[in-house]
Amino acid sequence: MLQPENTNDQARWQYTRLCRNMLQGTWEQEIQERMREQMGLTNVGNLGRPSTSVNLLANTTSQTAIIYDAAPTVTNSAFDPEQAKAWSDTVNGAHLWGIMQDVCSKTVALRECFLWVVPTASGVQMEIVTPDEVIVDKTTGDASTPTALRRGVTFAVVSNLTGKTEHIDTWECWDVSDPANPVHRVLDGEGKDITADVYPDDKGLYPYVDEQGPYLPCVLYRARYTGDTFDPYWASGLVHGTLDIGIAWTVWSVCLRNNSWPQWYLVDGVVPGTSIADSPSMLDGINPPPGTIELAPNSILRFKSEGGPGSAKVGQLTPCDAKLMAEAIMIKQNTILQSVGVHPDDLSNAGQPQSGVAIQLKKSSSRKIATAMVPMFRDADTKLYNIMSRVHNTFYADAELGIPALPTEGWQIQYNLPEMSTDEFLADLAKDETLIELGLLSKVDVAMKYYSLTDPAEAVRKLQEVAQYNTLFPFTPPATKAKF
């Protein structure tokens, strides 16, 4: 893949790729590189394959990227029955909610993620593009709304000379900063325009244009808004801490395997019927420590001195305390989490060092973190639905075939985050009641929070509806049976 010319983009790509490998579980090489920096080649060789079993970044991401664990409720007041069905078919055909779970994970872990809307023969489809493949050249002034970008793509192209398929690293360029002259073209590494080779059916016209003008077929999802288009290094302590914890568990695994029992040593003695292991082992060519005798940890050996009586010495090395070492590592894990804003009160008992579980956030903490990100995802989702509708209208809507055009505005989104436990709900309700008594909160505010509403007028209508129904159907507490 082609690399950016700008050194800042180069560093961003490299760091984002590190995070992506960690999120996907393909980060063994990254741990090895960090181990070489800290320990040197010899120690890395002795430690063997690094442990990837504890991944703080992936673990915390899976517990906080929960916005789409349940599909949101998406409505549009402009829908008629035919449009509602067309929208449902578009969403289901694109496997939208399954893809959005991955988008959410990558956005949380990488801090940004692009989602491309792609028209295909089977309908609208989605393609996730991570930030380590994209350079944004221009925006509308809103950093979250690019108008010109380049994506590094490797295309398979049939050579005109040999007739064979060649793989070419390219920049696919999109630019709608000048609505009168939108641009889509593909450039090779030397800057040559090879759009016609990559897209043989291309007629030189920008493909994404409707009555509203040209538009980019992608949306930028962000974990938080900073005024810059990319914010990759936020909470980088968690990323580097994940590598350090991976090294720590690697050392712990070696100690558990090799040093969690007393180690015998022999000075100036010979064990009858044995030989010193100085040559490569029969197993995968792995060398044992030089001058050792291989034996099971529970073996009892009889030693005979090579010289006179009493000249041989036998002893034991103190074993490591694997439990104490593991607890120390888990304390460090919690310290790393605190450095990125995860308070000890956010951890369940399963996340404490003595529990034996790496990290487990309380459901209330996961929901709190996800709720804080909802405004950013709501903004991006609204843009996404707009683009999905415009692509549908551009490439698929056909009145003669009975395929209606979709509205592009007026979307209402309700996110279905995990519900509170009964204890959490009652505690939150008691706090709201106190604030209402103090005059610091109204029932309208409580209704907006409870029903996930953003419009006070809508909350008022909901309260009026509830009051009307309660008048018609008054609540009668159930009789409590006497206990004997």
Side-chain angles (χ1 to χ4, degrees):
M1 180 180 293
L2 297 179
Q3 296 298 308
E5 304 88 356
N6 185 289
T7 55
N8 290 332
D9 282 323
Q10 291 175 10
R12 176 176 64 81
W13 277 29
Q14 183 178 6
Y15 178 78
T16 302
R17 199 154 293 167
L18 162 66
C19 299
R20 180 159 59 88
N21 288 340
M22 295 171 70
L23 183 64
Q24 296 174 168
T26 56
W27 57 303
E28 185 173 316
Q29 180 178 344
E30 282 76 9
I31 297 182
Q32 287 182 328
E33 291 176 357
R34 183 65 62 93
M35 289 169 65
R36 292 189 192 102
E37 294 174 1
Q38 296 183 359
M39 302 177 179
L41 290 173
T42 301
N43 284 329
V44 171
N46 290 337
L47 289 173
R49 190 169 184 174
S51 171
T52 59
S53 57
V54 178
N55 187 329
L56 292 186
L57 179 65
N59 187 279
T60 54
T61 297
S62 67
Q63 295 182 68
T64 55
I66 59 174
I67 293 178
Y68 302 95
D69 283 3
T73 302
V74 181
T75 58
N76 193 313
S77 58
F79 276 163
D80 61 27
E82 289 77 15
Q83 289 174 323
K85 182 180 183 307
W87 170 253
S88 178
D89 291 343
T90 299
V91 168
N92 294 333
H95 312 286
L96 181 62
W97 303 130
I99 287 177
M100 290 309 302
Q101 292 176 9
D102 194 21
V103 169
C104 189
S105 293
K106 286 185 167 64
T107 302
V108 171
L110 310 182
R111 311 310 300 165
E112 288 89 26
C113 184
F114 288 87
L115 185 59
W116 238 264
V117 182
V118 183
T120 71
S122 60
V124 172
Q125 297 297 319
M126 304 292 167
E127 182 181 5
I128 298 173
V129 180
T130 52
D132 55 313
E133 300 177 12
V134 176
I135 298 171
V136 171
D137 294 315
K138 300 177 184 177
T139 69
T140 59
D142 172 9
S144 300
T145 309
T147 56
L149 53 80
R150 288 171 285 157
R151 177 187 172 192
V153 188
T154 300
F155 283 107
V157 178
V158 177
S159 172
N160 294 327
L161 297 177
T162 65
K164 296 181 179 179
T165 299
E166 299 177 350
H167 289 84
I168 303 177
D169 292 332
T170 72
W171 290 113
E172 186 168 17
C173 306
W174 303 82
D175 188 344
V176 295
S177 58
D178 180 3
N181 185 33
V183 174
H184 171 236
R185 59 180 178 173
V186 181
L187 306 178
D188 65 12
E190 298 177 353
K192 179 184 176 182
D193 192 329
I194 59 170
T195 309
D197 296 329
V198 174
Y199 296 103
D201 296 332
D202 182 78
K203 297 180 175 60
L205 300 176
Y206 189 82
Y208 298 98
V209 180
D210 58 14
E211 66 280 357
Q212 299 179 42
Y215 57 95
L216 295 180
C218 63
V219 175
L220 173 60
Y221 279 80
R222 310 188 65 188
R224 68 173 189 161
Y225 188 85
T226 63
D228 296 318
T229 301
F230 295 105
D231 179 38
Y233 303 109
W234 188 87
S236 60
L238 178 60
V239 175
H240 295 292
T242 300
L243 289 172
D244 291 339
I245 290 298
I247 295 173
W249 284 117
T250 299
V251 175
W252 179 85
S253 297
V254 173
C255 290
L256 179 67
R257 183 181 67 241
N258 297 337
N259 305 104
S260 58
W261 53 77
Q263 302 293 296
W264 289 100
Y265 66 84
L266 172 64
V267 179
D268 292 334
V270 175
V271 181
T274 63
S275 60
I276 303 285
D278 278 327
S279 58
S281 169
M282 297 281 293
L283 181 62
D284 296 330
I286 299 174
N287 289 327
T292 61
I293 300 170
E294 295 188 11
L295 67 157
N298 59 349
S299 297
I300 300 176
L301 297 179
R302 177 183 179 183
F303 297 93
K304 180 179 180 180
S305 175
E306 193 173 24
S311 62
K313 296 181 181 179
V314 179
Q316 288 182 333
L317 299 175
T318 304
C320 73
D321 188 332
K323 180 179 179 182
L324 188 62
M325 186 177 179
E327 289 180 351
I329 294 173
M330 298 186 76
I331 290 173
K332 182 176 181 179
Q333 290 181 174
N334 290 359
T335 302
I336 291 170
L337 289 177
Q338 290 179 46
S339 71
V340 295
V342 179
H343 192 271
D345 292 343
D346 295 331
L347 299 175
S348 69
N349 291 333
Q352 303 306 316
Q354 66 272 15
S355 70
V357 177
I359 295 298
Q360 184 65 52
L361 297 177
K362 294 179 180 178
K363 287 186 177 180
S364 58
S365 301
S366 297
R367 187 172 55 251
K368 178 181 69 176
I369 295 171
T371 301
M373 292 186 290
V374 161
M376 291 302 303
F377 279 88
R378 185 187 303 277
D379 179 64
D381 279 343
T382 302
K383 294 176 182 177
L384 175 67
Y385 305 153
N386 172 277
I387 292 176
M388 288 177 63
S389 293
R390 295 174 76 175
V391 170
H392 168 87
N393 296 343
T394 301
F395 293 92
Y396 304 102
D398 190 324
E400 294 182 358
L401 296 178
I403 304 175
L406 296 174
T408 59
E409 305 295 340
W411 304 100
Q412 296 292 327
I413 312 166
Q414 179 176 331
Y415 295 94
N416 300 313
L417 298 179
E419 295 182 357
M420 292 183 178
S421 67
T422 301
D423 291 341
E424 291 173 342
F425 176 79
L426 292 177
D428 190 58
L429 183 61
K431 181 180 71 175
D432 288 342
E433 289 177 345
T434 301
L435 292 175
I436 291 174
E437 291 176 357
L438 294 173
L440 300 176
L441 197 70
S442 71
K443 289 185 178 181
V444 174
D445 297 318
V446 175
M448 290 176 65
K449 181 176 72 172
Y450 182 76
Y451 294 109
S452 300
L453 302 174
T454 58
D455 183 5
E458 190 173 353
V460 170
R461 287 194 295 271
K462 185 65 178 178
L463 287 172
Q464 291 172 339
E465 178 183 283
V466 170
Q468 181 182 2
Y469 286 146
N470 284 339
T471 301
L472 294 173
F473 308 102
F475 174 70
T476 303
T480 303
K481 294 182 180 180
K483 296 182 179 180
F484 297 96

Short mmCIF file of all heavy atoms in Angstrom, two decimals, residues 89-119:
data_model
loop_
_atom_site.label_atom_id
_atom_site.label_comp_id
_atom_site.label_asym_id
_atom_site.label_seq_id
_atom_site.Cartn_x
_atom_site.Cartn_y
_atom_site.Cartn_z
N ASP A 89 -35.84 -3.05 3.54
CA ASP A 89 -35.12 -3.95 2.63
C ASP A 89 -33.67 -3.49 2.43
O ASP A 89 -32.75 -4.32 2.36
CB ASP A 89 -35.83 -4.01 1.27
CG ASP A 89 -37.18 -4.72 1.34
OD1 ASP A 89 -37.41 -5.43 2.33
OD2 ASP A 89 -37.98 -4.53 0.40
N THR A 90 -33.47 -2.18 2.37
CA THR A 90 -32.12 -1.64 2.20
C THR A 90 -31.26 -1.95 3.41
O THR A 90 -30.11 -2.39 3.29
CB THR A 90 -32.17 -0.12 1.96
OG1 THR A 90 -32.92 0.15 0.78
CG2 THR A 90 -30.77 0.46 1.81
N VAL A 91 -31.81 -1.73 4.60
CA VAL A 91 -31.08 -1.98 5.84
C VAL A 91 -30.74 -3.47 5.99
O VAL A 91 -29.60 -3.84 6.29
CB VAL A 91 -31.90 -1.49 7.05
CG1 VAL A 91 -31.30 -2.01 8.36
CG2 VAL A 91 -31.97 0.03 7.06
N ASN A 92 -31.73 -4.32 5.74
CA ASN A 92 -31.50 -5.76 5.89
C ASN A 92 -30.55 -6.29 4.83
O ASN A 92 -29.69 -7.13 5.11
CB ASN A 92 -32.83 -6.51 5.82
CG ASN A 92 -33.73 -6.19 7.00
OD1 ASN A 92 -33.26 -5.83 8.07
ND2 ASN A 92 -35.04 -6.31 6.80
N GLY A 93 -30.70 -5.79 3.60
CA GLY A 93 -29.82 -6.26 2.52
C GLY A 93 -28.38 -5.86 2.73
O GLY A 93 -27.45 -6.56 2.30
N ALA A 94 -28.15 -4.75 3.43
CA ALA A 94 -26.78 -4.28 3.70
C ALA A 94 -26.22 -4.87 4.98
O ALA A 94 -25.06 -4.60 5.32
CB ALA A 94 -26.76 -2.76 3.79
N HIS A 95 -27.01 -5.68 5.72
CA HIS A 95 -26.58 -6.25 7.01
C HIS A 95 -26.10 -5.12 7.93
O HIS A 95 -25.06 -5.23 8.59
CB HIS A 95 -25.48 -7.29 6.82
CG HIS A 95 -25.76 -8.30 5.74
ND1 HIS A 95 -26.67 -9.31 5.92
CD2 HIS A 95 -25.27 -8.43 4.49
CE1 HIS A 95 -26.72 -10.06 4.82
NE2 HIS A 95 -25.90 -9.53 3.94
N LEU A 96 -26.88 -4.03 7.94
CA LEU A 96 -26.41 -2.80 8.56
C LEU A 96 -26.07 -2.96 10.03
O LEU A 96 -25.00 -2.54 10.48
CB LEU A 96 -27.45 -1.69 8.37
CG LEU A 96 -27.07 -0.33 8.96
CD1 LEU A 96 -25.81 0.21 8.28
CD2 LEU A 96 -28.21 0.66 8.83
N TRP A 97 -26.97 -3.58 10.81
CA TRP A 97 -26.76 -3.57 12.26
C TRP A 97 -25.60 -4.47 12.66
O TRP A 97 -24.88 -4.16 13.62
CB TRP A 97 -28.04 -3.96 12.99
CG TRP A 97 -29.19 -3.06 12.63
CD1 TRP A 97 -30.44 -3.42 12.23
CD2 TRP A 97 -29.18 -1.63 12.62
NE1 TRP A 97 -31.20 -2.32 11.96
CE2 TRP A 97 -30.45 -1.20 12.19
CE3 TRP A 97 -28.21 -0.66 12.90
CZ2 TRP A 97 -30.78 0.14 12.07
CZ3 TRP A 97 -28.54 0.68 12.77
CH2 TRP A 97 -29.82 1.06 12.36
N GLY A 98 -25.38 -5.55 11.96
CA GLY A 98 -24.20 -6.37 12.24
C GLY A 98 -22.92 -5.61 11.93
O GLY A 98 -21.95 -5.66 12.69
N ILE A 99 -22.91 -4.90 10.81
CA ILE A 99 -21.73 -4.11 10.44
C ILE A 99 -21.51 -2.97 11.42
O ILE A 99 -20.37 -2.64 11.78
CB ILE A 99 -21.89 -3.59 9.00
CG1 ILE A 99 -21.71 -4.74 8.01
CG2 ILE A 99 -20.88 -2.48 8.70
CD1 ILE A 99 -21.92 -4.37 6.57
N MET A 100 -22.60 -2.37 11.91
CA MET A 100 -22.46 -1.25 12.82
C MET A 100 -21.82 -1.66 14.15
O MET A 100 -21.17 -0.85 14.80
CB MET A 100 -23.81 -0.58 13.08
CG MET A 100 -24.37 0.18 11.88
SD MET A 100 -23.20 1.34 11.13
CE MET A 100 -22.82 2.39 12.52
N GLN A 101 -21.99 -2.90 14.55
CA GLN A 101 -21.30 -3.37 15.75
C GLN A 101 -19.79 -3.32 15.55
O GLN A 101 -19.04 -2.92 16.46
CB GLN A 101 -21.76 -4.79 16.10
CG GLN A 101 -23.20 -4.87 16.54
CD GLN A 101 -23.65 -6.30 16.79
OE1 GLN A 101 -22.86 -7.23 16.79
NE2 GLN A 101 -24.95 -6.49 17.00
N ASP A 102 -19.33 -3.71 14.36
CA ASP A 102 -17.90 -3.65 14.06
C ASP A 102 -17.44 -2.20 13.92
O ASP A 102 -16.34 -1.83 14.36
CB ASP A 102 -17.61 -4.43 12.78
CG ASP A 102 -16.13 -4.71 12.59
OD1 ASP A 102 -15.37 -4.66 13.58
OD2 ASP A 102 -15.72 -4.99 11.45
N VAL A 103 -18.26 -1.36 13.30
CA VAL A 103 -17.93 0.07 13.18
C VAL A 103 -17.76 0.67 14.57
O VAL A 103 -16.82 1.44 14.83
CB VAL A 103 -19.03 0.82 12.40
CG1 VAL A 103 -18.83 2.33 12.51
CG2 VAL A 103 -19.03 0.40 10.94
N CYS A 104 -18.65 0.33 15.49
CA CYS A 104 -18.58 0.88 16.84
C CYS A 104 -17.29 0.44 17.53
O CYS A 104 -16.61 1.26 18.16
CB CYS A 104 -19.80 0.44 17.64
SG CYS A 104 -19.98 1.27 19.25
N SER A 105 -16.94 -0.83 17.42
CA SER A 105 -15.71 -1.33 18.04
C SER A 105 -14.48 -0.62 17.48
O SER A 105 -13.60 -0.19 18.24
CB SER A 105 -15.58 -2.85 17.82
OG SER A 105 -16.58 -3.55 18.51
N LYS A 106 -14.42 -0.49 16.18
CA LYS A 106 -13.26 0.15 15.57
C LYS A 106 -13.22 1.64 15.90
O LYS A 106 -12.14 2.22 16.10
CB LYS A 106 -13.27 -0.07 14.05
CG LYS A 106 -12.90 -1.48 13.63
CD LYS A 106 -12.81 -1.63 12.13
CE LYS A 106 -12.14 -2.95 11.73
NZ LYS A 106 -12.90 -4.13 12.14
N THR A 107 -14.38 2.29 15.99
CA THR A 107 -14.41 3.70 16.34
C THR A 107 -13.91 3.92 17.76
O THR A 107 -13.14 4.84 18.03
CB THR A 107 -15.83 4.27 16.18
OG1 THR A 107 -16.28 4.07 14.84
CG2 THR A 107 -15.86 5.75 16.50
N VAL A 108 -14.34 3.06 18.68
CA VAL A 108 -13.91 3.19 20.07
C VAL A 108 -12.41 2.92 20.21
O VAL A 108 -11.70 3.65 20.89
CB VAL A 108 -14.72 2.24 20.97
CG1 VAL A 108 -14.14 2.20 22.38
CG2 VAL A 108 -16.18 2.67 21.01
N ALA A 109 -11.92 1.87 19.55
CA ALA A 109 -10.52 1.48 19.71
C ALA A 109 -9.56 2.36 18.90
O ALA A 109 -8.49 2.71 19.38
CB ALA A 109 -10.33 0.02 19.31
N LEU A 110 -9.97 2.72 17.67
CA LEU A 110 -9.09 3.50 16.79
C LEU A 110 -9.39 4.99 16.86
O LEU A 110 -8.67 5.79 16.26
CB LEU A 110 -9.24 3.02 15.34
CG LEU A 110 -9.11 1.50 15.10
CD1 LEU A 110 -9.23 1.19 13.60
CD2 LEU A 110 -7.82 0.95 15.66
N ARG A 111 -10.50 5.36 17.53
CA ARG A 111 -10.97 6.73 17.72
C ARG A 111 -11.71 7.28 16.51
O ARG A 111 -12.46 8.23 16.64
CB ARG A 111 -9.82 7.68 18.10
CG ARG A 111 -8.94 7.18 19.22
CD ARG A 111 -9.73 6.72 20.42
NE ARG A 111 -10.55 7.76 21.02
CZ ARG A 111 -11.53 7.53 21.89
NH1 ARG A 111 -11.84 6.30 22.24
NH2 ARG A 111 -12.22 8.53 22.41
N GLU A 112 -11.50 6.74 15.32
CA GLU A 112 -12.25 7.11 14.12
C GLU A 112 -12.44 5.88 13.25
O GLU A 112 -11.69 4.90 13.36
CB GLU A 112 -11.54 8.18 13.28
CG GLU A 112 -11.54 9.57 13.87
CD GLU A 112 -10.37 9.81 14.78
OE1 GLU A 112 -9.31 9.14 14.60
OE2 GLU A 112 -10.47 10.65 15.70
N CYS A 113 -13.45 5.94 12.39
CA CYS A 113 -13.67 4.87 11.42
C CYS A 113 -14.55 5.41 10.29
O CYS A 113 -15.46 6.20 10.54
CB CYS A 113 -14.36 3.67 12.09
SG CYS A 113 -14.58 2.24 11.00
N PHE A 114 -14.23 5.03 9.06
CA PHE A 114 -15.04 5.42 7.91
C PHE A 114 -15.95 4.27 7.51
O PHE A 114 -15.57 3.09 7.58
CB PHE A 114 -14.15 5.77 6.71
CG PHE A 114 -13.41 7.07 6.86
CD1 PHE A 114 -12.17 7.11 7.49
CD2 PHE A 114 -13.94 8.24 6.35
CE1 PHE A 114 -11.48 8.30 7.62
CE2 PHE A 114 -13.25 9.44 6.48
CZ PHE A 114 -12.02 9.48 7.12
N LEU A 115 -17.16 4.61 7.09
CA LEU A 115 -18.09 3.62 6.54
C LEU A 115 -18.49 4.07 5.15
O LEU A 115 -19.07 5.14 4.98
CB LEU A 115 -19.32 3.47 7.44
CG LEU A 115 -20.29 2.37 7.03
CD1 LEU A 115 -19.60 1.00 7.02
CD2 LEU A 115 -21.49 2.33 7.97
N TRP A 116 -18.16 3.24 4.15
CA TRP A 116 -18.45 3.54 2.75
C TRP A 116 -19.78 2.92 2.35
O TRP A 116 -20.07 1.77 2.71
CB TRP A 116 -17.34 2.98 1.87
CG TRP A 116 -16.65 4.00 1.02
CD1 TRP A 116 -16.91 4.31 -0.28
CD2 TRP A 116 -15.55 4.84 1.41
NE1 TRP A 116 -16.06 5.28 -0.73
CE2 TRP A 116 -15.20 5.63 0.28
CE3 TRP A 116 -14.82 5.00 2.58
CZ2 TRP A 116 -14.17 6.56 0.31
CZ3 TRP A 116 -13.81 5.92 2.61
CH2 TRP A 116 -13.49 6.70 1.48
N VAL A 117 -20.59 3.66 1.63
CA VAL A 117 -21.85 3.15 1.07
C VAL A 117 -21.60 2.81 -0.39
O VAL A 117 -21.27 3.68 -1.19
CB VAL A 117 -22.98 4.20 1.20
CG1 VAL A 117 -24.29 3.63 0.65
CG2 VAL A 117 -23.14 4.64 2.66
N VAL A 118 -21.76 1.52 -0.72
CA VAL A 118 -21.34 1.03 -2.04
C VAL A 118 -22.54 0.46 -2.79
O VAL A 118 -23.18 -0.49 -2.32
CB VAL A 118 -20.25 -0.06 -1.90
CG1 VAL A 118 -19.76 -0.51 -3.27
CG2 VAL A 118 -19.10 0.44 -1.05
N PRO A 119 -22.89 1.01 -3.96
CA PRO A 119 -23.96 0.41 -4.77
C PRO A 119 -23.43 -0.81 -5.51
O PRO A 119 -22.37 -0.77 -6.13
CB PRO A 119 -24.32 1.53 -5.75
CG PRO A 119 -23.08 2.35 -5.87
CD PRO A 119 -22.37 2.27 -4.55
#
